Amino acid sequence: MIEYFNTITQYFPDLTGRQKEQLNQLAYTCMRWNEKINVISRKDIDNIEVNHILHSLAIAKFIKFEPGTTVIDLGTGGGFPALPLAIFFPEVKFHLVDRIRKKLGVAAAIADECGLKNVTFQHGDFRECKMMADFVVSRAVMPLPELVKLARRNIKPVSVNAISNGLIALKGGDVAEEVAAAGTPCEVVDISTYFNEEYFKTKKIIFAPL
């Protein structure tokens, strides 16, 4: 098995041996499944460590989830950003939702091979999700105003973390128009403040307290 976590450990030097093994397993299993079901562009799969796993872990730079926090991943696809975050935060519960059964099945298979016990899965439209959570996370799924509208009804009113409960979205490019139309004050963070790779120069974290 090839090791994929060398760049990640530069930014997260305190990862345990078990977490490193799980991140390595995640990369390996995702690449293997991607040959059967295209959950990541085949042109981009060789960049899985930086463009997908490390990108997901930018959220771990933005916030340290407290144990017992619940997080919903809206439109998880093959499991990003939830699965890398579930490895990083083993005492946090992640609920992965996607309307495409095949992709959700890949995410579940990856989680199983990584030995993750803090993840659950739901097939269907996000509007069917009744679970209440501290945060909704999302990675390049839909415009921010739609994300805010959907996520709002699933957010718990009381926070157990250092910041208010709400939506944390990973997006790229110029997000000014989306933020202006979101209908709620948002915090925008350049991921390049965390990571030096060229890929992150246009990548943002958008936090919308809900």
Side-chain angles (χ1 to χ4, degrees), residues 186-203:
C186 297
E187 179 180 354
V188 181
V189 179
D190 292 322
I191 296 179
S192 60
T193 62
Y194 305 138
F195 307 138
N196 297 325
E197 282 69 23
E198 183 76 18
Y199 176 76
F200 297 112
K201 284 193 172 180
T202 62
K203 303 301 181 185

Side-chain angles (χ1 to χ4, degrees), residues 144-210:
L144 186 66
E146 294 178 42
L147 280 172
V148 168
K149 183 177 179 181
L150 284 175
R152 191 184 297 278
R153 63 185 180 82
N154 291 81
I155 298 297
K156 295 178 180 179
V158 179
S159 175
V160 297
N161 288 272
I163 62 175
S164 301
N165 293 347
L167 169 71
I168 303 174
L170 295 171
K171 284 188 167 286
D174 186 353
V175 299
E177 188 173 324
E178 287 188 53
V179 169
T184 189
C186 297
E187 179 180 354
V188 181
V189 179
D190 292 322
I191 296 179
S192 60
T193 62
Y194 305 138
F195 307 138
N196 297 325
E197 282 69 23
E198 183 76 18
Y199 176 76
F200 297 112
K201 284 193 172 180
T202 62
K203 303 301 181 185
K204 319 281 187 184
I205 289 175
I206 303 176
F207 171 56
L210 300 175

Side-chain angles (χ1 to χ4, degrees), residues 28-183:
Y28 174 78
T29 307
C30 187
M31 292 184 76
R32 180 162 50 82
W33 270 99
N34 210 62
E35 295 175 359
K36 306 174 185 177
I37 300 173
N38 191 22
V39 294
I40 293 174
S41 168
R42 291 195 169 95
K43 295 180 180 179
D44 198 38
I45 190 66
D46 289 338
N47 301 313
I48 186 171
E49 180 188 13
V50 170
N51 294 11
H52 299 279
I53 299 176
L54 187 60
H55 189 199
S56 299
L57 290 177
I59 292 173
K61 289 289 190 182
F62 177 73
I63 178 175
K64 181 180 179 182
F65 293 125
E66 292 293 332
T69 298
T70 53
V71 180
I72 300 173
D73 185 351
L74 189 166
T76 190
F80 298 95
L83 294 185
L85 291 170
I87 291 171
F88 196 89
F89 296 106
E91 296 181 343
V92 172
K93 180 181 179 182
F94 292 86
H95 186 62
L96 287 69
V97 182
D98 203 280
R99 65 175 65 185
I100 302 177
R101 188 182 296 275
K102 285 184 178 181
K103 290 186 176 182
L104 197 67
V106 171
I110 294 171
D112 184 62
E113 293 203 34
C114 291
L116 292 174
K117 306 298 182 184
N118 58 330
V119 294
T120 52
F121 301 89
Q122 180 177 339
H123 171 247
D125 191 278
F126 186 70
R127 295 170 182 83
E128 300 168 3
C129 180
K130 306 300 182 183
M131 177 179 170
M132 299 298 290
D134 299 290
F135 295 95
V136 171
V137 297
S138 182
R139 183 174 184 253
V141 171
M142 63 181 68
L144 186 66
E146 294 178 42
L147 280 172
V148 168
K149 183 177 179 181
L150 284 175
R152 191 184 297 278
R153 63 185 180 82
N154 291 81
I155 298 297
K156 295 178 180 179
V158 179
S159 175
V160 297
N161 288 272
I163 62 175
S164 301
N165 293 347
L167 169 71
I168 303 174
L170 295 171
K171 284 188 167 286
D174 186 353
V175 299
E177 188 173 324
E178 287 188 53
V179 169

